[in-house]
Amino acid sequence: MFKILLNKDDERTTKFAEELLLQRKKMIIDIEKDLTSVEWWNYKFQGERLFKNNNRFFIFLAYKNSFEDARPLKGNLELIKDKVGKKLDSIITDDLNNIRYYYDKEKSVEGAYQILSTSILVTN
Protein backbone atom coordinates (compact mmCIF):
# COMPACT_ATOMS: atom_id res chain seq x y z
CA MET A 1 0.00 0.00 0.00
CA PHE A 2 2.82 2.37 0.89
CA LYS A 3 4.47 1.80 -2.50
CA ILE A 4 1.21 2.78 -4.17
CA LEU A 5 1.18 6.04 -2.19
CA LEU A 6 4.76 6.80 -3.19
CA ASN A 7 3.98 6.18 -6.85
CA LYS A 8 1.00 8.56 -6.95
CA ASP A 9 1.59 11.66 -9.04
CA ASP A 10 0.10 13.97 -6.41
CA GLU A 11 2.03 16.45 -4.28
CA ARG A 12 -0.21 16.04 -1.20
CA THR A 13 0.09 12.26 -1.32
CA THR A 14 3.86 12.44 -1.76
CA LYS A 15 4.19 14.80 1.23
CA PHE A 16 1.98 12.50 3.30
CA ALA A 17 4.11 9.47 2.43
CA GLU A 18 7.32 11.35 3.20
CA GLU A 19 5.92 12.43 6.57
CA LEU A 20 4.99 8.82 7.36
CA LEU A 21 8.57 7.74 6.64
CA LEU A 22 9.95 10.56 8.79
CA GLN A 23 7.67 9.57 11.69
CA ARG A 24 8.70 5.93 11.35
CA LYS A 25 12.37 6.88 11.45
CA LYS A 26 11.79 8.96 14.60
CA MET A 27 9.88 6.11 16.23
CA ILE A 28 12.68 3.62 15.50
CA ILE A 29 15.24 6.04 16.99
CA ASP A 30 13.07 6.51 20.11
CA ILE A 31 12.53 2.77 20.52
CA GLU A 32 16.27 2.11 20.19
CA LYS A 33 16.96 4.46 23.11
CA ASP A 34 14.92 2.26 25.46
CA LEU A 35 14.12 -1.25 24.31
CA THR A 36 12.76 -2.32 27.71
CA SER A 37 9.12 -1.92 26.68
CA VAL A 38 9.68 -4.10 23.60
CA GLU A 39 11.36 -6.74 25.74
CA TRP A 40 8.40 -6.62 28.17
CA TRP A 41 5.97 -7.03 25.27
CA ASN A 42 7.84 -10.12 24.04
CA TYR A 43 7.56 -11.79 27.45
CA LYS A 44 3.97 -10.72 28.12
CA PHE A 45 2.62 -11.87 24.77
CA GLN A 46 4.82 -14.88 24.02
CA GLY A 47 3.03 -17.92 22.66
CA GLU A 48 1.66 -20.33 25.22
CA ARG A 49 3.01 -23.41 23.43
CA LEU A 50 6.63 -22.34 23.92
CA PHE A 51 6.24 -20.32 27.12
CA LYS A 52 9.50 -19.91 29.05
CA ASN A 53 10.42 -17.44 31.77
CA ASN A 54 14.13 -17.42 31.03
CA ASN A 55 16.73 -14.67 30.75
CA ARG A 56 17.06 -13.49 27.16
CA PHE A 57 19.17 -11.44 24.81
CA PHE A 58 16.76 -10.15 22.16
CA ILE A 59 17.81 -9.07 18.70
CA PHE A 60 15.13 -6.85 17.18
CA LEU A 61 15.14 -6.01 13.48
CA ALA A 62 13.72 -2.92 11.76
CA TYR A 63 14.07 -0.82 8.64
CA LYS A 64 14.20 2.92 9.34
CA ASN A 65 13.12 3.97 5.86
CA SER A 66 10.64 1.27 4.96
CA PHE A 67 7.50 -0.37 6.27
CA GLU A 68 8.64 -3.79 5.05
CA ASP A 69 9.00 -6.84 7.23
CA ALA A 70 12.60 -6.70 8.49
CA ARG A 71 13.19 -10.46 8.54
CA PRO A 72 15.54 -10.21 5.55
CA LEU A 73 17.95 -8.38 7.87
CA LYS A 74 18.60 -11.78 9.48
CA GLY A 75 20.86 -12.47 6.53
CA ASN A 76 23.11 -9.50 7.29
CA LEU A 77 25.28 -11.52 9.66
CA GLU A 78 28.20 -9.08 9.70
CA LEU A 79 25.97 -6.24 10.90
CA ILE A 80 24.32 -8.45 13.53
CA LYS A 81 27.66 -9.91 14.65
CA ASP A 82 29.13 -6.42 15.05
CA LYS A 83 26.19 -5.11 17.10
CA VAL A 84 25.99 -8.22 19.28
CA GLY A 85 29.73 -8.13 19.86
CA LYS A 86 29.69 -4.48 20.89
CA LYS A 87 26.79 -5.07 23.27
CA LEU A 88 28.42 -8.13 24.87
CA ASP A 89 31.78 -6.34 25.21
CA SER A 90 30.20 -3.44 27.07
CA ILE A 91 27.52 -5.18 29.12
CA ILE A 92 27.49 -4.95 32.90
CA THR A 93 24.94 -6.26 35.38
CA ASP A 94 23.39 -2.81 35.73
CA ASP A 95 22.59 -2.88 31.98
CA LEU A 96 20.19 -5.79 32.38
CA ASN A 97 16.51 -4.91 32.41
CA ASN A 98 14.38 -6.27 35.22
CA ILE A 99 11.17 -7.26 33.45
CA ARG A 100 8.02 -7.86 35.49
CA TYR A 101 4.94 -9.17 33.76
CA TYR A 102 1.77 -11.11 34.41
CA TYR A 103 1.25 -14.03 32.06
CA ASP A 104 -2.35 -15.11 31.50
CA LYS A 105 -2.48 -16.82 28.11
CA GLU A 106 -2.22 -20.35 29.59
CA LYS A 107 -3.82 -21.40 32.88
CA SER A 108 -1.09 -23.90 33.75
CA VAL A 109 1.61 -21.19 33.82
CA GLU A 110 -0.53 -18.17 34.69
CA GLY A 111 1.07 -15.83 37.18
CA ALA A 112 3.39 -12.95 37.94
CA TYR A 113 6.93 -13.30 36.64
CA GLN A 114 10.20 -11.45 36.92
CA ILE A 115 13.20 -11.91 34.66
CA LEU A 116 16.37 -10.22 33.38
CA SER A 117 16.88 -9.33 29.74
CA THR A 118 18.76 -7.10 27.37
CA SER A 119 18.54 -6.40 23.67
CA ILE A 120 19.78 -4.64 20.59
CA LEU A 121 18.01 -3.18 17.60
CA VAL A 122 19.51 -3.95 14.21
CA THR A 123 18.46 -1.42 11.58
CA ASN A 124 19.29 -0.73 7.99
Side-chain angles (χ1 to χ4, degrees):
M1 182 190 300
F2 191 73
K3 288 180 183 180
I4 293 170
L5 287 175
L6 284 175
N7 291 327
K8 287 283 186 189
D9 190 24
D10 174 52
E11 188 176 330
R12 276 185 54 201
T13 304
T14 301
K15 282 185 179 183
F16 174 74
E18 289 171 353
E19 181 61 29
L20 281 177
L21 277 176
L22 183 62
Q23 290 300 319
R24 177 178 177 80
K25 192 174 201 173
K26 287 178 184 176
M27 288 173 64
I28 298 294
I29 290 167
D30 288 344
I31 288 169
E32 190 169 24
K33 290 176 186 172
D34 183 16
L35 291 166
T36 307
S37 60
V38 187
E39 293 169 15
W40 174 87
W41 192 94
N42 272 274
Y43 281 107
K44 172 72 176 161
F45 296 105
Q46 64 185 299
E48 56 274 4
R49 188 173 64 84
L50 298 175
F51 175 83
K52 294 282 186 228
N53 186 51
N54 50 1
N55 298 326
R56 295 185 188 158
F57 183 119
F58 290 103
I59 300 172
F60 299 112
L61 308 170
Y63 290 119
K64 286 184 180 177
N65 296 315
S66 172
F67 289 94
E68 295 175 60
D69 183 344
R71 279 184 277 184
L73 282 176
K74 286 181 182 181
N76 194 337
L77 296 180
E78 284 304 312
L79 178 62
I80 294 170
K81 179 182 171 185
D82 183 55
K83 286 200 109 174
V84 168
K86 286 178 182 175
K87 180 72 172 186
L88 291 175
D89 288 344
S90 67
I91 201 164
I92 57 174
T93 305
D94 291 343
D95 289 338
L96 299 176
N97 298 315
N98 186 5
I99 307 293
R100 296 171 189 263
Y101 65 102
Y102 189 87
Y103 192 76
D104 58 2
K105 290 177 76 175
E106 173 65 41
K107 283 285 185 205
S108 66
V109 292
E110 183 174 351
Y113 291 91
Q114 182 176 340
I115 201 69
L116 297 174
S117 69
T118 192
S119 59
I120 59 169
L121 176 62
V122 176
T123 60
N124 194 358

